[in-house]
Amino acid sequence: MTPFLFTFVVLAFSVGAGLLGSLLGIGGGLILIPVLTLLLKVDIHYAVGASIVSVIATSSGAAAAYVRERMANLRVAMFLEVATTAGALTGAFLSGRVGGRGVYLVFGAVMAYSALVMLRRLKSGAVPTEVPEDALADRLGLHGSYFDESLGREVGYRVTRPMAGLGLMYVAGTVSGMLGIGSGALKVPAMDLTMRLPLKVSTATSNFMIGVTAAASAGVYFARGHIDPFIAGPVCVGVTLGAWLGSRHLMARVNAAWLRALFVGVLLWVAFEMLRKGWTS
């Protein structure tokens, strides 16, 4: 493959990854890392480095639109970001001590777990029901509302178990720093299943958070020489464009049940491919 063709292919896949990443709150790296490693035969560590850049680009391209539409919950994001940033630094430190096969296997296991927990609520609606009251969430004012175009009405919601979410966010941040995926694949289920935020709010808030989480570990990857401009350049451009398209034109109109099914399908495919790669490499 010529350098020009390689750049074009990476750019095209990055647009699609950015679009899906903005809709699902997963940062694009979840799609890009398998594409770079399995299809384009890029070394896993360079793929993770490029993914870190794509995560920051996805967040930059999508977060502003979600904040303006009041779909991202800023109070929840700021509360949880402390844990994810600390976890990202931990994961970046661990990444240099885990071999390529180990990274593949951990990646696949994380994706499989996320898919299984999301399957539990595959048929649920846009708004969680029977959310238990939580004194800390009330005191911090974490509850909110947003306008859902697919439902044609304002949707109010309550937040519960913020401390459990904080612990899960440290784990998510560690996975982000280790695997370069933005940890949205763990953040979204944590907010959706544990803190009981609506799925659209979970994905929008995840998009807002993932850029900060990735930036905390990007310096470590850059210092190790794992961020190659030849790969990261087209990734950054493509993901930013895709994230802009997804956040500005699609997210508010997408049905929540369809979004959850798409999320689970993507996770299952990636989990299978990465576990297979790690097992056979």
Side-chain angles (χ1 to χ4, degrees):
M1 184 180 296
T2 65
F4 176 80
L5 181 58
F6 178 86
T7 301
F8 178 80
V9 171
V10 171
L11 181 65
F13 276 114
S14 297
V15 171
L19 195 152
L20 279 176
S22 68
L23 289 179
L24 303 178
I26 57 178
L30 186 65
I31 297 99
L32 272 177
I33 290 180
V35 167
L36 291 173
T37 56
L38 301 176
L39 299 182
L40 301 178
K41 309 303 180 183
V42 174
D43 180 86
I44 182 68
H45 292 101
Y46 288 102
V48 169
S51 177
I52 286 288
V53 175
S54 82
V55 168
I56 299 172
T58 299
S59 182
S60 301
Y66 291 147
V67 171
R68 184 172 57 253
E69 295 167 2
R70 296 188 301 112
M71 201 169 288
N73 189 317
L74 298 185
R75 286 180 178 267
V76 170
M78 293 298 99
F79 175 73
L80 299 176
E81 198 61 71
V82 176
T84 57
T85 302
L89 294 173
T90 303
F93 174 78
L94 293 174
S95 67
R97 288 157 175 76
V98 179
R101 182 180 182 184
V103 173
Y104 280 118
L105 292 174
V106 171
F107 193 114
V110 168
M111 297 308 98
Y113 168 77
S114 298
L116 290 175
V117 295
M118 293 297 288
L119 275 171
R120 292 172 53 192
R121 290 183 58 198
L122 185 58
K123 296 183 179 179
S124 67
V127 187
T129 57
E130 300 179 1
V131 178
E133 293 187 5
D134 188 280
L136 180 59
D138 292 340
R139 191 156 50 245
L140 295 176
L142 300 181
H143 318 301
S145 65
Y146 70 100
F147 183 80
D148 193 316
E149 289 188 20
S150 68
L151 299 176
R153 62 180 175 87
E154 188 80 7
V155 176
Y157 60 89
R158 295 183 57 82
V159 179
T160 189
R161 289 181 288 188
M163 293 307 297
L166 198 68
L168 290 172
M169 289 301 154
Y170 178 80
V171 176
T174 302
V175 172
S176 171
M178 187 175 178
L179 305 179
I181 60 173
S183 69
L186 287 177
K187 286 178 181 174
V188 174
M191 287 185 279
D192 182 46
L193 299 173
T194 302
M195 300 178 70
R196 307 303 298 277
L197 275 73
L199 183 62
K200 288 188 178 182
V201 176
S202 298
T203 56
T205 305
S206 174
N207 267 296
F208 180 83
M209 295 172 61
I210 56 179
V212 179
T213 308
S217 56
V220 178
Y221 282 91
F222 183 80
R224 290 189 184 134
H226 287 161
I227 298 180
D228 186 343
F230 180 67
I231 303 172
V235 163
C236 185
V237 173
V239 165
T240 302
L241 178 58
W244 180 82
L245 291 172
S247 61
R248 295 293 179 89
H249 301 289
L250 294 178
M251 180 60 155
R253 300 178 176 87
V254 171
N255 180 273
W258 180 88
L259 190 65
R260 193 185 303 277
L262 177 62
F263 190 97
V264 171
V266 170
L267 292 187
L268 287 173
W269 175 76
V270 173
F272 172 77
E273 290 295 334
M274 298 306 282
L275 286 171
R276 183 178 62 83
K277 179 72 173 179
W279 188 261
T280 58
S281 62

